[in-house]
Amino acid sequence: MPGSQARCRTRDRNNVLNRPEFLSLNQPPRREQMAGEGRAGGGPRRAAFRQQSQQEDTGRRGSRDSEGSSATDGGAKEASRWPEQDCMQLNPSFRGIAINSLLAIDISLSKRLGMCVRPHGPGAPLRSMVTLLALSGHALPWLCGTLICLWRSNTLAGQEVLVNLLLALILDLMTVAGMQKLVKRRGPWDLPPGFLDYIAMDIYSFPAAHASRAVMVSKFLLNHLVLAVPLRILLYLWAFLVGVSRVLLGKHHLSDVGCGFALGFLHFNLMESVWLDSATCQTLISIGTMRWTLLI
């Protein structure tokens, strides 16, 4: 008997299925085990098993629903995180297609017309003349020139026109700078603004400040100065070429220049509607000269 017991123990040790990692193979399945227990234990154990299985199914469904809702929320957060231009629109409207097409045409034409952007490009011989033409529509020469003429003027009528012109230039400068800061549109070539552009707050592309100023000044001079017909034609041509020069230099799009022209015409009409009379202009001049005398 002791020898047979030793043999059985040795056989159990050598049996692979008795190892801990293979113990689950020797045990009967859970369903069969629970069924056997149900048969042996009767109805209460079977009812408890059903209740436990229902609770497990409910927990699994709840976890699946929570995972689905979390995935949906995560997708919504990811979609809101990306910018609008990177999202795919499966059913774009006709209006959106038309606007995007016009913007693409505007960018393509503006880049093709930027011949004077590079110093060695196809428009290199005209670069200096185009730069000088664009400088003639800058805010700094017009503001300084108006102040010098106002200081040298001796007539009441001339001072009245110059004061209103100075206010129109300031209105145009502040309005265009505010709109550019609000829209923040870059030029077709995305060139960095120069030192004079920082002074005049002409940093962004939309709308074109030079074009707006050129139209406003030309309309102002044509309305308040008696000029011959050739000079009037040259003034119109100058305003148009100032806007075109900014496109040739790659600073603005064609749409920026067009909106600048419309904005300059609007500024002229607004200034004409709130025209200051001679007495008000003299009051403003006296206040300004009083401040300068106090500083001196």
Side-chain angles (χ1 to χ4, degrees):
M1 292 297 291
S4 62
Q5 291 179 358
R7 290 176 185 176
C8 292
R9 291 175 183 176
T10 305
R11 192 180 302 168
D12 292 337
R13 290 173 186 173
N14 294 330
N15 192 4
V16 179
L17 297 178
N18 288 330
R19 294 181 181 179
E21 59 267 20
F22 295 108
L23 287 176
S24 61
L25 298 176
N26 296 329
Q27 295 178 0
R30 185 178 179 182
R31 292 181 180 178
E32 295 179 0
Q33 187 178 1
M34 295 299 293
E37 292 176 358
R39 290 172 186 172
R45 293 184 179 179
R46 187 176 300 173
F49 172 70
R50 288 180 181 177
Q51 185 177 2
Q52 184 179 1
S53 62
Q54 289 178 359
Q55 290 177 359
E56 291 179 356
D57 294 338
T58 306
R60 291 174 184 174
R61 290 176 184 174
S63 63
R64 290 175 184 175
D65 294 339
S66 62
E67 289 177 358
S69 62
S70 64
T72 306
D73 297 337
K77 291 179 180 178
E78 289 291 334
S80 62
R81 188 183 302 171
W82 293 105
E84 187 177 355
Q85 59 267 20
D86 292 340
C87 298
M88 182 182 295
Q89 296 181 0
L90 298 179
N91 295 319
S93 61
F94 177 77
R95 181 181 178 183
I97 294 173
I99 292 174
N100 292 331
S101 301
L102 291 176
L103 288 176
I105 294 171
D106 181 30
I107 295 172
S108 178
L109 288 178
S110 301
K111 284 190 174 181
R112 288 184 180 182
L113 289 175
M115 299 181 296
C116 301
V117 177
R118 299 182 180 88
H120 302 288
L126 301 175
R127 181 179 171 82
S128 58
M129 185 177 65
V130 172
T131 305
L132 183 62
L133 187 62
L135 185 61
S136 65
H138 199 271
L140 192 60
W142 282 102
L143 288 172
C144 294
T146 305
L147 288 174
I148 292 172
C149 292
L150 184 60
W151 178 53
R152 298 292 299 272
S153 179
N154 296 323
T155 60
L156 295 179
Q159 291 176 358
E160 179 183 352
V161 172
L162 290 172
V163 168
N164 283 278
L165 178 60
L166 181 62
L167 294 177
L169 289 171
I170 295 173
L171 173 65
D172 181 82
L173 180 66
M174 300 304 295
T175 305
V176 173
M179 291 182 66
Q180 287 186 358
K181 192 69 175 177
L182 183 64
V183 178
K184 294 183 179 181
R185 186 186 186 187
R186 295 291 181 180
W189 294 89
D190 199 9
L191 298 174
F195 177 71
L196 294 178
D197 295 331
Y198 279 111
I199 292 176
M201 296 181 289
D202 189 11
I203 301 174
Y204 297 101
S205 175
F206 182 87
H210 290 67
S212 175
R213 192 173 302 109
V215 169
M216 190 267 297
V217 169
S218 61
K219 288 290 294 180
F220 196 93
L221 296 179
L222 288 171
N223 197 29
H224 295 282
L225 295 180
V226 180
L227 300 174
V229 175
L231 292 177
R232 298 175 73 89
I233 295 174
L234 286 176
L235 203 55
Y236 278 118
L237 185 62
W238 168 79
F240 175 75
L241 291 177
V242 166
V244 173
S245 66
R246 299 294 287 177
V247 179
L248 295 177
L249 292 172
K251 296 290 187 179
H252 297 284
H253 299 86
L254 289 173
S255 59
D256 303 333
V257 175
C259 292
F261 286 155
L263 191 62
F265 188 76
L266 180 64
H267 287 161
F268 167 74
N269 290 332
L270 181 62
M271 201 62 211
E272 289 292 321
S273 62
V274 293
W275 184 266
L276 301 181
D277 55 359
S278 180
T280 307
C281 293
Q282 292 299 318
T283 304
L284 293 176
I285 292 172
S286 62
I287 294 173
T289 53
M290 185 185 299
R291 290 180 178 178
W292 282 107
T293 52
L294 290 175
L295 289 175
I296 295 173

